[in-house]
Amino acid sequence: MIDRLPPRERNAVLAQCEPVEIAVGEILCETGESFSHAYFPVTGNISLINALDGHRPFETESIGSEGMLGASLILGINRALQRGIVQTPCMAMRIKAEILQAAMQRYPALSHILQSYLYVALVELLQTISCTRFHEVAKRLPRALLLAHDRSQTNCLPLTHLLLAEILGVQRGAVTIAAVKLQRKGIIRYSRGKITIVDRKGLEAKSCRCYQASIENYASLLR
């Protein structure tokens, strides 16, 4: 998103950012707490996790280089709606929350592109809700792996079955069954907490239509 700003505004925003490397599992925000920074991932991805008492936490959105962590700041509200946790090793640009909000007032192009992203993020959230409700794990797991693959820029993903179960909001055993089927077909290879994408086209064929819908949603932002 920052790359799409006019040069003067892009340089001004980048001057206020700092590059950071973030390890898997690091928590960047907690539900109900204020953001200290907004994050713009360059590589890797950040999961937004929702949890209800007595139920397993699950991922409602995955944020990669197309998005940002801290979307409520766009509305002028410094409060996290969900937990933000790093899903795969992440390189990001971060900016202090108050500086980003001030920059939005100063630079109309920044405000416009962030508002456009907020709309796309809402569309993606609705897509994820429908996918969670109607699609089986055998279809949802490939979608999650494809999104992680797109953002990680590597075929080897540091994803355990336990982490994937939390992302999908299901029992670990359900992920194991679905992953074993993909491995037997030669689509992925799993070992010691790592999943390697062997056959990208095959993985796309096994995914539900929601993956392609996600790509189209974000393409609309770029247009």
Side-chain angles (χ1 to χ4, degrees):
M1 290 188 292
I2 294 177
D3 279 346
R4 293 184 58 78
L5 292 171
R8 184 178 69 87
E9 297 189 5
R10 181 174 65 245
N11 293 336
V13 173
L14 286 174
Q16 301 294 329
C17 294
E18 62 173 329
V20 291
E21 293 185 11
I22 321 169
V24 173
E26 187 167 341
I27 297 173
L28 302 180
C29 64
E30 283 284 10
T31 304
E33 295 184 0
S34 298
F35 290 103
S36 60
H37 296 81
Y39 290 82
F40 294 88
V42 178
T43 60
N45 59 326
I46 300 168
S47 290
L48 292 182
I49 303 296
N50 195 34
L52 295 175
D53 291 342
H55 297 277
R56 290 181 174 275
F58 68 97
E59 180 184 84
T60 60
E61 185 182 353
S62 179
I63 304 168
S65 60
E66 79 295 328
M68 66 173 287
L69 176 69
S72 65
L73 295 170
I74 301 170
L75 300 173
I77 301 172
N78 190 348
R79 185 177 181 183
L81 296 176
Q82 301 171 89
R83 169 180 286 185
I85 185 169
V86 178
Q87 185 186 99
T88 59
C90 186
M91 174 70 180
M93 302 298 291
R94 74 176 184 183
I95 182 172
K96 289 183 177 179
E98 63 271 19
I99 292 178
L100 177 63
Q101 289 180 312
M104 288 181 62
Q105 305 231 343
R106 179 178 297 180
Y107 305 118
L110 175 63
S111 179
H112 173 73
I113 199 167
L114 292 183
Q115 289 171 358
S116 297
Y117 167 69
L118 184 58
Y119 170 79
V120 172
L122 289 172
V123 173
E124 180 70 6
L125 176 60
L126 294 175
Q127 186 76 42
T128 299
I129 292 171
S130 298
C131 183
T132 302
R133 172 63 179 83
F134 295 111
H135 294 157
E136 58 187 16
V137 177
K139 294 288 187 180
R140 293 168 55 210
L141 176 60
R143 180 198 179 202
L145 293 176
L146 287 167
L147 290 173
H149 188 219
D150 289 343
R151 291 156 175 166
S152 64
Q153 301 180 358
T154 176
N155 289 332
C156 187
L157 307 174
L159 297 173
T160 65
H161 285 191
L162 180 59
L163 177 57
L164 287 166
E166 292 179 353
I167 289 172
L168 299 176
V170 297
Q171 297 283 347
R172 179 178 176 178
V175 171
T176 299
I177 291 171
V180 166
K181 290 180 179 179
L182 293 175
Q183 183 164 254
R184 286 175 177 171
K185 292 181 179 296
I187 294 174
I188 66 170
R189 185 169 61 251
Y190 176 77
S191 64
R192 295 181 179 270
K194 293 183 179 180
I195 292 181
T196 301
I197 307 300
V198 178
D199 181 1
R200 167 79 190 204
K201 291 294 185 182
L203 195 60
E204 291 177 0
K206 291 295 181 180
S207 174
C208 57
R209 176 66 177 74
C210 296
Y211 170 70
Q212 186 58 38
S214 296
I215 299 301
E216 293 168 0
N217 290 340
Y218 287 115
S220 70
L221 173 61
L222 296 179
R223 287 196 296 269

